[in-house]
Amino acid sequence: HFMARFTRTIVSGTFGTQQSSEESSSTELVFHTPPEKQQQQQDEQPAATAATSPTTMGNNRKNKKSRGSRKGSGLQRFQLSLRAENLPNTSFFRTASPYATVEIVGGPQDGTVLGQTEVIKKSLSPDWCEILFLETSANIHMPLRVTLWDQRGDDSLPPISMATAEFEATAVYQSPGKTQTDSIGKRGKLHIHIEESFVGDLRGKLKLQLRGLDMKNVEPGPFGLGRSDPFFEIAKKNADHHIATVNWNVVYRSEHIDNNLNPYWDPTVIDLEKLCFGQADWPLKISVWDHNSNGNHVLIGEFETNLPHMQERISIKGNADRDQAVLLGQQVKTNNKTYGLLVVLKAEILHDDQNPV
């Protein structure tokens, strides 16, 4: 077993108070029965979670169903997102494929499993795009336990526990940038961000389909015969002007298409609560990457947008409409070069009573 020690910070309190203590603990890699696939939280369900508990989760807590909010309950809905960097690896022979599970470990919802993120293959610095939802209020103490797992191989092999960290929901929300960080191992860090779930009044889903044209080939390969394997990410802007910080929280990641400089991605449906907090003009960023099997993806290009802008750029002349296409650039570059075009084939708002198919 691989052994890692890390300092865990437990932050507790309500919106008015914060308490912190540090304790040193060791984390031993243990085998774990993989959790069942989580069902995506729906807008119309006000419950804190509808996720299914893993078979075993460290302390073998019994999963409890959240009762959700009622009119006059005083509960407010929040979004929880996670990312990590420089996690300790679990093997000398391969790179870990981590995912995270989140459980409430105190207060009135003690034992509730909020859900789990997706698995990010071969990455020690995962940026998970799966958003978890919770409901709390100023007078509720809600300690959270985040457990990181390495999904090794196929489903026949049980995942390995990488580390655990504990936070308190309202204390995270009150922190600068609405974010807290805990140390994992010698160099690793786990970041948790909690944000109000609704800013605007827009409800429903976005049906989106994109394709690329003339993507810059960043993977020439031997003799120039290689081609990029593009995928795209959509991130929403999180800014805290009090501390002058801006972060982009990835909320969607497409499939990658092998050896194609004019990729045609499958249509997808994204919940507007998850995408833009229900506010149409919330800043978004679309980035196109070249996929590499070792997890070291290379940026091809990106651009900032929002829902109205994407709808304005919907293709008029078919799936290769260069007049309506959006130019991909790289902000770190100063040569104003174009790194490809992105064609918006569909950007349709679907209300809750509409079929997304």
Side-chain angles (χ1 to χ4, degrees):
H1 293 288
F2 174 82
M3 184 79 70
R5 295 184 63 87
F6 64 93
T7 302
R8 182 174 61 191
T9 302
I10 304 174
V11 185
S12 61
T14 62
F15 283 100
T17 62
Q18 295 187 19
Q19 298 177 345
S20 64
S21 64
E22 293 186 355
E23 61 178 35
S24 176
S25 62
S26 62
T27 300
E28 184 176 359
L29 301 180
V30 297
F31 294 109
H32 171 269
T33 302
E36 299 176 1
K37 185 178 181 180
Q38 305 299 319
Q39 184 178 5
Q40 185 179 0
Q41 177 72 34
Q42 302 297 321
D43 285 344
E44 66 271 17
Q45 293 176 329
T49 178
T52 302
S53 170
T55 304
T56 57
M57 268 194 72
N59 62 350
N60 292 319
R61 288 180 175 269
K62 183 178 180 181
N63 185 35
K64 299 179 181 179
K65 294 182 179 179
S66 172
R67 296 180 179 179
S69 62
R70 301 180 179 87
K71 289 184 178 180
S73 66
L75 297 180
Q76 188 174 359
R77 187 169 169 87
F78 293 88
Q79 298 185 15
L80 183 154
S81 58
L82 296 164
R83 64 181 180 91
E85 52 186 308
N86 300 319
L87 294 177
N89 205 2
T90 60
S91 172
F92 294 106
F93 306 103
R94 64 177 183 84
T95 303
S97 298
Y99 69 93
T101 56
V102 182
E103 179 188 16
I104 300 173
V105 291
Q109 299 186 61
D110 181 33
T112 298
V113 178
L114 293 182
Q116 74 174 69
T117 68
E118 76 279 12
V119 177
I120 297 185
K121 295 182 178 180
K122 298 181 180 181
S123 176
L124 298 181
S125 297
D127 188 355
W128 292 288
C129 60
E130 184 65 31
I131 302 293
L132 306 182
F133 297 92
L134 64 149
E135 288 192 349
T136 187
S137 66
N139 60 353
I140 293 179
H141 177 67
M142 185 178 285
L144 304 173
R145 175 178 294 140
V146 181
T147 306
L148 304 182
W149 304 93
D150 173 19
Q151 179 68 67
R152 51 190 195 128
D154 54 33
D155 293 337
S156 63
L157 296 174
I160 301 174
S161 174
M162 300 177 69
T164 61
E166 295 191 5
F167 304 90
E168 202 282 316
T170 55
V172 173
Y173 177 76
Q174 285 189 321
S175 298
K178 299 180 175 63
T179 302
Q180 285 188 355
T181 301
D182 199 3
S183 297
I184 304 293
K186 293 181 179 180
R187 299 173 52 246
K189 294 180 180 180
L190 174 65
H191 308 279
I192 181 172
H193 178 82
I194 294 180
E195 182 74 83
E196 293 180 41
S197 199
F198 284 114
V199 176
D201 298 324
L202 189 62
R203 301 292 183 268
K205 297 175 175 62
L206 172 68
K207 186 175 183 179
L208 179 70
Q209 186 172 22
L210 303 176
R211 76 156 303 182
L213 290 174
D214 310 326
M215 297 279 108
K216 180 177 176 59
N217 188 18
V218 296
E219 187 183 325
F223 310 107
L225 299 177
R227 291 292 182 268
S228 298
D229 311 309
F231 70 94
F232 72 89
E233 294 179 337
I234 304 177
K236 61 186 175 186
K237 191 175 187 178
N238 290 320
D240 189 335
H241 301 295
H242 295 93
I243 58 173
T245 61
V246 174
N247 294 303
W248 293 92
N249 180 21
V250 178
V251 296
Y252 177 79
R253 184 176 291 115
S254 75
E255 76 281 9
H256 74 272
I257 299 179
D258 291 330
N259 301 316
N260 198 324
L261 301 182
N262 298 285
Y264 194 102
W265 292 286
D266 290 336
T268 188
V269 176
I270 310 172
D271 192 279
L272 293 176
E273 179 185 9
K274 174 181 177 180
L275 177 67
C276 59
F277 305 111
Q279 182 167 315
D281 60 353
W282 193 270
L284 304 173
K285 181 167 68 174
I286 298 180
S287 306
V288 180
W289 299 81
D290 172 36
H291 180 272
N292 287 308
S293 59
N294 62 6
N296 296 322
H297 311 309
V298 178
L299 179 67
I300 296 176
E302 60 188 4
F303 69 96
E304 294 187 26
T305 184
N306 55 35
L307 283 181
H309 177 252
M310 283 194 286
Q311 291 182 312
E312 290 173 1
R313 304 309 290 263
I314 292 176
S315 174
I316 300 173
K317 303 175 183 178
N319 60 20
D321 189 346
R322 285 175 165 78
D323 294 333
Q324 284 287 98
V326 182
L327 301 179
L328 290 175
Q330 291 191 6
Q331 293 182 355
V332 296
K333 306 281 187 179
T334 59
N335 52 15
N336 295 321
K337 290 181 63 176
T338 298
Y339 293 83
L341 301 173
L342 208 59
V343 180
V344 181
L345 299 178
K346 296 179 182 178
E348 179 184 0
I349 302 297
L350 302 174
H351 299 290
D352 291 335
D353 56 350
Q354 289 181 270
N355 189 344
V357 179

